[in-house]
Amino acid sequence: MAKRKSKNSWTPLQIITHLGALFPLAWLAWDFWQGQTALLINPFQEATLRTGEAAIILLMLSLACTPINILFGFKQVLPLRKPLGNYAFMYAAIHFAIFIVDNGLVSNSLDLWAVYEATFEKRFALVGFAAFVILLALALTSNQWSMRTLRKNWKRLHRFVYAAGIFAVIHFVWLVKSDIREPLIYGALLTLMLALRIPAVRKWVVNTRQNLTQGRQATANSSS
Amino acid sequence: MAIKISSSEITPEHVYLSRRKFMIGIGALATSAAVLSACGNQVGSTASSANSNEAAPEDIKVSTNTDELGDELTSFSAVTSYNNFYEFTTSKEGVAGMAEGFSTSPWEVEVGGLVNNPKTFSIDDLRTKFDQEERIYRLRCVEGWSMVIPWMGFSLSEILEEVEPTSQAKYVRFETLYDPDRLPGQSSRWYDWPYVEGLRLDEAMNPLATMATGLYGKHLLPQNGAPFRLVVPWKYGFKSIKSIVKIELVDTMPVSLWMDAAPNEYGFYANVNPEVPHPRWSQATERRIGEFGRRDTLPFNGYGEEVAYLYDGMDLRENF
């Protein structure tokens, strides 16, 4: 029964979301199996870059749901915030796990001091770690029980996702060598998405959209 | 004034051991088989493996399988398919494909500036006028990975002796070919092309400073900086400038492309130093390509005995 119920409640959009979110992991596994050059030669660096990119893209998509609803009144994207955010956490966790092994395995033994240094002594790693801790907290509380228990605080806690987004973009900016175009694109998108949530901006956008659709309906009615 | 070679510049024995006169054909085929098997292909290679480009060609030649520390050579396939060469692309595994067909003949290298005897060498001159030796050196990338590569080439000092630097000459400045049509990465406005690198004259006269024309007994492939590149094994890889067209003796410290792009991260000296971290990551350890775990990074990449004297009394934290 429960199975059928959950099956019925999955919209095509949700199915696409889950498949799309799992795609980078499947692609990574496939490329590893196929012996793709960078994964064959320097697997840690390549897998770290790929999982990090998947995490930031999914986090941006999760943050894009509300602005998409504000701009287009497309409510169907709202239930996607949670799975997208959780998948972002999943990739961030894999990313961090690879980082730990990559930096900790020195001369065939696990050097925890090296992991500590790699995580806390470099600003790009530290800000990435901060984003990870936030995503961890949000993933752990992304269930009905936590919502009921935390009540108002749940919403306050989950507002930290904006901070996670900002930290993730800064992490990326500080990581690249010189050509910061790609992280700046994420930064610009994030700024735009956050701006749309400012109550005054949001109100104005929603009003304008409603006026436009009403106007269109009015002209449609009068011409018929 | 011509440069004299001082006794301190005579090659120490253990370095000599990794620098063998290269004799074509002798003993080479026997070892190349061992190297081929070390280039192990990936798991689950497909039916099309007959035309796989990952196998090493059969004409690679090398006299030994290790460097003077006993570290194994990096496979030919890794050396030629994983490259930092932004003139083609910033994707390391994409360079080999982008560089395919890059024409390196004719190719001329102009050597001038503060010298008594400026000269222009064709690539054939460089390959025949100077004795080509096999030199097995570790290459440590500033990003934290490393390789062991059997280069073919000769000491930079041999060219400098031919052109006779004047007493005003203090530095050597190197320049890569500038040709955005053939080197598409040079259209990127994020860097001030062409690639420029430099050495202090005494560094350049050190016998370890090598001009390479080949690796694994073959001419350099475009992705490795064909046809003529610098190899400075005690410095981070980016100092080892590729596809050189110009060598100039100058009296002021050259500003390299990376010093220009990120002055707080990349200095003029760029000596491999586990004690001085990059602003964004530690340099204490490195991943040797082909190994699972990291290993400790050695001061001057393990060539301290040969080069540390060059920096006596210098603060290497300040001069990173």
Side-chain angles (χ1 to χ4, degrees):
Chain A
M1 278 299 274
K3 202 175 176 187
R4 194 196 291 167
K5 193 183 163 194
S6 70
K7 214 173 182 180
N8 287 344
S9 65
W10 275 35
T11 64
L13 199 59
Q14 280 173 310
I15 294 166
I16 291 168
T17 301
H18 285 275
L19 290 179
L22 286 167
F23 176 73
L25 190 63
W27 192 18
L28 184 66
W30 170 258
D31 273 353
F32 189 72
W33 173 254
Q34 287 294 303
Q36 186 256 3
T37 308
L39 278 171
L40 194 70
I41 293 170
N42 202 354
F44 285 98
Q45 194 183 42
E46 181 69 7
T48 306
L49 288 174
R50 289 225 216 164
T51 49
E53 192 165 29
I56 197 171
I57 289 173
L58 287 161
L59 182 58
M60 292 297 135
L61 287 174
S62 175
L63 284 167
C65 294
T66 303
I68 286 171
N69 181 43
I70 295 170
L71 279 175
F72 308 109
F74 191 61
K75 281 197 184 66
Q76 289 91 319
V77 293
L78 293 181
L80 304 179
R81 288 176 296 188
K82 177 176 149 180
L84 285 169
N86 282 340
Y87 278 118
F89 164 71
M90 180 188 84
Y91 282 102
I94 300 172
H95 181 71
F96 188 45
I98 296 170
F99 178 85
I100 289 172
V101 180
D102 183 13
N103 287 283
L105 205 62
V106 182
S107 308
N108 294 322
S109 62
L110 191 66
D111 182 347
L112 290 174
W113 179 247
V115 176
Y116 173 84
E117 276 188 323
T119 312
F120 296 104
E121 293 203 345
K122 293 292 159 205
R123 59 177 195 175
F124 95 91
L126 189 61
V127 75
F129 181 71
F132 170 73
V133 170
I134 294 172
L135 290 179
L136 172 68
L138 303 193
L140 289 175
T141 55
S142 69
N143 50 63
Q144 292 294 326
W145 181 82
S146 298
M147 282 182 96
R148 277 199 305 271
T149 321
L150 293 168
R151 294 168 188 244
K152 267 189 177 171
N153 288 329
W154 189 88
K155 202 159 190 182
R156 285 189 193 140
L157 176 66
H158 279 248
R159 285 226 171 96
F160 273 96
V161 71
Y162 309 140
I166 293 167
F167 289 163
V169 170
I170 296 173
H171 174 62
F172 196 5
V173 171
W174 281 346
L175 171 74
V176 295
K177 267 189 184 167
S178 178
D179 180 350
I180 54 170
R181 273 175 298 180
E182 200 183 344
L184 283 186
I185 290 170
Y186 288 111
L189 278 174
L190 186 66
T191 311
L192 198 74
M193 295 191 300
L194 293 182
L196 276 169
R197 294 165 194 260
I198 298 169
V201 179
R202 183 183 187 140
K203 211 170 175 184
W204 181 81
V205 171
V206 172
N207 284 341
T208 312
R209 171 164 53 78
Q210 281 168 351
N211 288 342
L212 277 174
T213 42
Q214 275 163 12
R216 214 178 291 143
Q217 274 165 3
T219 38
N221 290 340
S222 64
S223 63
S224 63
Chain B
M1 193 190 89
I3 299 280
K4 296 232 168 63
I5 299 176
S6 72
S7 63
S8 67
E9 283 163 358
I10 288 167
T11 315
E13 187 187 21
H14 87 268
V15 178
Y16 177 78
L17 289 176
S18 70
R19 263 173 65 182
R20 294 153 210 258
K21 268 270 185 286
F22 190 78
M23 281 172 267
I24 292 166
I26 297 179
L29 285 175
T31 45
S32 70
V35 173
L36 275 170
S37 63
C39 292
N41 267 328
Q42 73 278 20
V43 200
S45 54
T46 52
S48 67
S49 63
N51 49 25
S52 158
N53 57 3
E54 274 146 22
E58 285 173 24
D59 55 346
I60 67 171
K61 295 184 194 82
V62 67
S63 66
T64 173
N65 288 320
T66 60
D67 67 5
E68 85 284 2
L69 301 178
D71 292 353
E72 265 178 54
L73 301 186
T74 305
S75 73
F76 179 84
S77 69
V79 171
T80 54
S81 61
Y82 192 72
N83 314 94
N84 265 331
F85 200 168
Y86 283 19
E87 279 82 343
F88 288 107
T89 166
T90 53
S91 146
K92 283 192 261 291
E93 68 276 17
V95 172
M98 292 288 288
E100 222 177 300
F102 176 71
S103 164
T104 55
S105 98
W107 190 279
E108 288 193 331
V109 181
E110 195 188 319
V111 189
L114 301 170
V115 297
N116 292 326
N117 190 15
K119 273 187 182 173
T120 297
F121 298 93
S122 73
I123 186 60
D124 291 330
D125 294 340
L126 295 165
R127 284 174 184 151
T128 53
K129 278 190 73 161
F130 301 92
D131 282 345
Q132 312 287 311
E133 291 176 337
E134 178 189 73
R135 296 181 169 200
I136 297 172
Y137 292 141
R138 294 171 290 283
L139 178 103
R140 168 63 157 81
C141 180
V142 73
E143 295 170 345
W145 52 270
S146 61
M147 295 182 172
V148 183
I149 302 174
W151 301 103
M152 298 291 302
F154 52 91
S155 287
L156 167 59
S157 62
E158 293 180 42
I159 289 194
L160 297 181
E161 278 156 19
E162 285 236 352
V163 297
E164 295 174 25
T166 67
S167 56
Q168 281 106 3
K170 298 284 182 287
Y171 295 91
V172 188
R173 182 183 181 277
F174 304 85
E175 208 175 291
T176 295
L177 174 72
Y178 180 70
D179 187 349
D181 290 336
R182 291 157 69 201
L183 300 170
Q186 290 177 335
S187 318
S188 157
R189 272 181 263 156
W190 290 90
Y191 302 99
D192 190 15
W193 307 106
Y195 202 96
V196 168
E197 262 307 340
L199 294 172
R200 223 169 51 195
L201 187 54
D202 57 344
E203 296 179 312
M205 291 305 292
N206 185 285
L208 289 195
T210 299
M211 298 311 308
T213 57
L215 58 80
Y216 269 105
K218 289 161 61 75
H219 289 332
L220 286 175
L221 292 172
Q223 61 265 41
N224 296 111
F228 190 56
R229 68 172 289 172
L230 180 67
V231 175
V232 198
W234 72 93
K235 291 175 182 282
Y236 292 118
F238 68 85
K239 291 295 288 184
S240 295
I241 179 172
K242 304 185 183 87
S243 304
I244 296 168
V245 290
K246 198 170 173 189
I247 302 175
E248 231 181 330
L249 280 289
V250 293
D251 57 0
T252 49
M253 184 184 281
V255 176
S256 71
L257 176 132
W258 280 112
M259 287 164 74
D260 174 76
N264 57 324
E265 299 190 355
Y266 307 102
F268 176 77
Y269 287 96
N271 292 316
V272 175
N273 191 340
E275 311 262 293
V276 179
H278 184 277
R280 285 175 289 145
W281 54 82
S282 161
Q283 295 289 26
T285 61
E286 67 198 55
R287 171 170 311 335
R288 179 65 49 81
I289 296 304
E291 292 179 357
F292 187 72
R294 287 177 167 260
R295 49 162 74 209
D296 288 328
T297 288
L298 303 172
F300 298 108
N301 206 18
Y303 302 100
E305 250 178 76
E306 294 74 44
V307 301
Y309 74 91
L310 291 163
Y311 311 101
D312 279 346
M314 272 178 71
D315 181 349
L316 295 178
R317 240 166 237 284
E318 201 71 22
N319 299 285
F320 59 87

Coordinates of all heavy atoms in Angstrom, one line a residue, chain B residues 174-213:
Chain B
F174 N 63.0 33.3 -20.7 CA 62.6 32.4 -21.7 C 61.2 32.8 -22.1 O 60.4 33.2 -21.3 CB 62.5 31.0 -21.1 CG 63.8 30.5 -20.5 CD1 64.1 30.8 -19.2 CD2 64.7 29.7 -21.3 CE1 65.3 30.3 -18.6 CE2 65.9 29.3 -20.7 CZ 66.2 29.6 -19.4
E175 N 60.9 32.5 -23.4 CA 59.6 32.8 -23.9 C 59.1 31.7 -24.8 O 59.8 31.2 -25.6 CB 59.7 34.1 -24.7 CG 58.4 34.9 -24.8 CD 58.7 36.3 -25.5 OE1 59.4 37.2 -25.0 OE2 58.1 36.4 -26.7
T176 N 57.8 31.4 -24.6 CA 57.1 30.4 -25.4 C 56.6 31.0 -26.7 O 56.4 32.2 -26.7 CB 55.9 29.8 -24.6 OG1 56.4 29.1 -23.5 CG2 55.1 28.8 -25.4
L177 N 56.4 30.2 -27.7 CA 55.8 30.7 -29.0 C 54.5 31.4 -28.7 O 53.7 30.9 -27.9 CB 55.5 29.4 -29.9 CG 54.8 29.7 -31.2 CD1 55.7 30.5 -32.2 CD2 54.2 28.5 -31.8
Y178 N 54.3 32.5 -29.3 CA 53.0 33.2 -29.3 C 52.3 33.1 -30.6 O 52.8 33.7 -31.6 CB 53.2 34.7 -28.9 CG 51.8 35.4 -28.8 CD1 50.9 35.1 -27.8 CD2 51.5 36.3 -29.7 CE1 49.7 35.7 -27.7 CE2 50.2 37.0 -29.7 CZ 49.4 36.6 -28.6 OH 48.1 37.3 -28.6
D179 N 51.3 32.3 -30.7 CA 50.6 32.1 -31.9 C 49.2 31.6 -31.6 O 48.9 30.3 -31.6 CB 51.4 31.1 -32.8 CG 50.8 30.9 -34.2 OD1 49.6 31.4 -34.4 OD2 51.4 30.3 -35.1
P180 N 48.2 32.5 -31.3 CA 46.9 32.0 -30.9 C 46.2 31.1 -31.9 O 45.3 30.4 -31.5 CB 46.1 33.4 -30.6 CG 47.2 34.4 -30.5 CD 48.4 33.9 -31.3
D181 N 46.6 31.2 -33.1 CA 45.9 30.3 -34.1 C 46.3 28.9 -33.8 O 45.5 28.0 -34.0 CB 46.3 30.7 -35.5 CG 45.7 32.0 -36.0 OD1 44.7 32.4 -35.3 OD2 46.3 32.7 -36.8
R182 N 47.5 28.7 -33.5 CA 48.0 27.3 -33.2 C 47.9 26.9 -31.8 O 47.9 25.8 -31.4 CB 49.4 27.1 -33.7 CG 49.5 27.2 -35.3 CD 50.9 27.6 -35.7 NE 51.9 26.6 -35.4 CZ 53.2 26.8 -35.3 NH1 53.7 28.0 -35.5 NH2 54.0 25.8 -35.1
L183 N 48.0 28.0 -30.9 CA 47.9 27.7 -29.5 C 46.6 28.4 -29.0 O 46.7 29.5 -28.4 CB 49.1 28.3 -28.8 CG 50.5 27.6 -29.2 CD1 51.7 28.4 -28.7 CD2 50.5 26.2 -28.8
P184 N 45.4 27.8 -29.2 CA 44.2 28.5 -28.9 C 44.0 29.0 -27.5 O 43.3 30.0 -27.3 CB 43.1 27.4 -29.3 CG 43.9 26.1 -29.2 CD 45.3 26.4 -29.6
G185 N 44.6 28.4 -26.5 CA 44.5 28.9 -25.2 C 45.0 30.3 -25.0 O 44.6 31.0 -24.0
Q186 N 45.9 30.7 -25.9 CA 46.4 32.1 -25.8 C 45.4 33.1 -26.2 O 45.6 34.3 -26.0 CB 47.6 32.2 -26.7 CG 48.8 31.4 -26.2 CD 50.0 31.5 -27.1 OE1 49.9 31.7 -28.3 NE2 51.2 31.3 -26.6
S187 N 44.2 32.7 -26.6 CA 43.1 33.7 -26.8 C 42.5 34.1 -25.4 O 41.7 35.1 -25.4 CB 42.0 33.1 -27.7 OG 42.5 32.4 -28.7
S188 N 42.7 33.3 -24.4 CA 42.2 33.6 -23.1 C 42.8 34.9 -22.6 O 44.0 35.0 -22.5 CB 42.4 32.5 -22.1 OG 42.4 33.0 -20.8
R189 N 42.0 35.9 -22.2 CA 42.5 37.1 -21.7 C 42.9 37.1 -20.2 O 43.2 38.1 -19.6 CB 41.5 38.2 -22.0 CG 41.8 38.8 -23.4 CD 40.8 39.9 -23.8 NE 39.7 39.4 -24.5 CZ 38.5 40.1 -24.5 NH1 38.3 41.2 -23.8 NH2 37.5 39.6 -25.2
W190 N 42.7 36.0 -19.6 CA 43.0 35.9 -18.2 C 44.5 35.8 -17.9 O 44.9 36.0 -16.8 CB 42.4 34.6 -17.5 CG 40.9 34.8 -17.5 CD1 40.0 34.5 -18.5 CD2 40.2 35.5 -16.5 NE1 38.8 34.9 -18.1 CE2 38.8 35.5 -16.9 CE3 40.5 36.0 -15.2 CZ2 37.8 36.0 -16.1 CZ3 39.5 36.6 -14.4 CH2 38.2 36.6 -14.9
Y191 N 45.3 35.6 -18.9 CA 46.8 35.5 -18.7 C 47.4 36.4 -19.7 O 46.9 36.7 -20.8 CB 47.3 34.1 -18.9 CG 46.6 33.1 -17.9 CD1 45.5 32.3 -18.4 CD2 47.0 33.0 -16.6 CE1 44.8 31.5 -17.5 CE2 46.3 32.2 -15.7 CZ 45.3 31.4 -16.2 OH 44.6 30.6 -15.3
D192 N 48.6 36.9 -19.3 CA 49.3 37.8 -20.2 C 50.3 37.0 -21.0 O 51.5 36.9 -20.7 CB 50.1 38.9 -19.3 CG 50.7 40.0 -20.1 OD1 50.3 40.2 -21.2 OD2 51.5 40.7 -19.5
W193 N 49.8 36.5 -22.1 CA 50.6 35.7 -23.0 C 51.7 36.6 -23.7 O 51.4 37.7 -23.9 CB 49.7 35.0 -24.1 CG 48.6 34.2 -23.4 CD1 47.3 34.5 -23.4 CD2 48.7 33.0 -22.7 NE1 46.6 33.6 -22.7 CE2 47.5 32.6 -22.3 CE3 49.8 32.1 -22.4 CZ2 47.2 31.4 -21.6 CZ3 49.6 31.0 -21.7 CH2 48.3 30.6 -21.3
P194 N 52.8 36.0 -24.2 CA 53.1 34.6 -24.1 C 53.7 34.2 -22.7 O 54.0 35.1 -21.9 CB 54.3 34.5 -25.2 CG 54.9 35.9 -25.1 CD 53.8 36.8 -24.9
Y195 N 53.7 32.9 -22.5 CA 54.3 32.4 -21.3 C 55.8 32.8 -21.2 O 56.5 32.7 -22.1 CB 54.2 30.9 -21.3 CG 54.3 30.2 -20.0 CD1 53.1 29.8 -19.4 CD2 55.5 29.9 -19.4 CE1 53.1 29.1 -18.1 CE2 55.5 29.2 -18.1 CZ 54.3 28.9 -17.5 OH 54.3 28.2 -16.3
V196 N 56.1 33.4 -20.0 CA 57.5 33.8 -19.8 C 58.0 33.2 -18.5 O 57.2 33.0 -17.5 CB 57.6 35.4 -19.7 CG1 58.9 35.8 -19.1 CG2 57.3 36.0 -21.0
E197 N 59.2 32.7 -18.5 CA 59.8 32.2 -17.3 C 61.3 32.8 -17.2 O 61.8 33.3 -18.2 CB 59.8 30.7 -17.2 CG 58.7 30.1 -16.4 CD 58.6 30.7 -15.0 OE1 59.6 31.3 -14.5 OE2 57.5 30.7 -14.3
G198 N 61.9 32.6 -16.0 CA 63.2 33.1 -15.9 C 64.0 32.4 -14.8 O 63.4 31.7 -14.0
L199 N 65.3 32.5 -14.9 CA 66.2 31.9 -13.9 C 67.3 33.0 -13.7 O 67.6 33.8 -14.6 CB 66.9 30.7 -14.5 CG 66.1 29.4 -14.7 CD1 66.9 28.4 -15.4 CD2 65.5 28.9 -13.4
R200 N 67.8 32.9 -12.5 CA 69.0 33.8 -12.2 C 70.2 33.1 -13.0 O 70.1 31.9 -13.2 CB 69.3 33.7 -10.7 CG 69.7 35.1 -10.1 CD 69.7 35.0 -8.6 NE 70.5 33.8 -8.1 CZ 70.4 33.4 -6.9 NH1 69.6 33.9 -6.0 NH2 71.1 32.3 -6.5
L201 N 71.2 33.9 -13.4 CA 72.2 33.3 -14.2 C 72.9 32.1 -13.6 O 73.2 31.1 -14.2 CB 73.2 34.4 -14.7 CG 74.2 34.0 -15.7 CD1 73.6 33.4 -16.9 CD2 75.1 35.2 -16.1
D202 N 73.2 32.2 -12.3 CA 73.9 31.1 -11.6 C 73.0 29.9 -11.5 O 73.5 28.7 -11.6 CB 74.4 31.5 -10.2 CG 73.4 32.0 -9.3 OD1 72.3 32.4 -9.8 OD2 73.6 32.1 -8.1
E203 N 71.7 30.1 -11.4 CA 70.8 28.9 -11.5 C 70.8 28.3 -12.9 O 70.9 27.1 -13.0 CB 69.3 29.3 -11.2 CG 69.1 29.9 -9.8 CD 67.6 30.3 -9.6 OE1 67.1 31.0 -10.5 OE2 67.0 29.9 -8.6
A204 N 70.8 29.2 -13.9 CA 70.8 28.7 -15.2 C 72.1 27.9 -15.6 O 72.1 27.0 -16.4 CB 70.7 29.9 -16.2
M205 N 73.2 28.3 -14.9 CA 74.5 27.6 -15.2 C 74.6 26.3 -14.4 O 75.5 25.6 -14.7 CB 75.7 28.6 -14.8 CG 75.8 29.8 -15.7 SD 76.0 29.4 -17.4 CE 77.6 28.6 -17.4
N206 N 73.7 26.1 -13.5 CA 73.8 24.8 -12.8 C 73.5 23.7 -13.7 O 72.6 23.7 -14.5 CB 72.8 24.8 -11.6 CG 72.9 23.5 -10.8 OD1 72.5 22.4 -11.2 ND2 73.4 23.7 -9.6
P207 N 74.4 22.6 -13.7 CA 74.2 21.6 -14.7 C 72.9 20.8 -14.7 O 72.5 20.2 -15.7 CB 75.3 20.6 -14.4 CG 75.9 21.0 -13.1 CD 75.5 22.4 -12.8
L208 N 72.1 20.9 -13.6 CA 70.8 20.3 -13.6 C 69.8 21.1 -14.4 O 68.7 20.5 -14.8 CB 70.2 20.2 -12.1 CG 70.9 19.2 -11.2 CD1 70.0 19.1 -10.0 CD2 71.2 17.9 -11.8
A209 N 70.0 22.3 -14.7 CA 69.1 23.1 -15.5 C 69.3 22.6 -17.0 O 70.3 22.8 -17.6 CB 69.4 24.6 -15.4
T210 N 68.2 22.0 -17.4 CA 68.3 21.2 -18.6 C 67.4 21.7 -19.8 O 66.3 22.2 -19.5 CB 67.8 19.7 -18.3 OG1 68.7 19.2 -17.3 CG2 67.8 18.8 -19.6
M211 N 67.9 21.7 -21.0 CA 67.1 22.0 -22.2 C 66.7 20.6 -22.7 O 67.6 19.8 -23.1 CB 67.9 22.8 -23.2 CG 68.4 24.2 -22.7 SD 67.1 25.2 -21.9 CE 65.8 25.2 -23.1
A212 N 65.5 20.3 -22.8 CA 65.0 19.0 -23.2 C 64.5 19.1 -24.7 O 63.8 20.0 -25.0 CB 63.9 18.5 -22.3
T213 N 64.9 18.0 -25.4 CA 64.3 17.9 -26.8 C 63.5 16.6 -26.9 O 62.9 16.4 -27.9 CB 65.5 17.8 -27.8 OG1 66.3 16.7 -27.4 CG2 66.4 19.0 -27.8

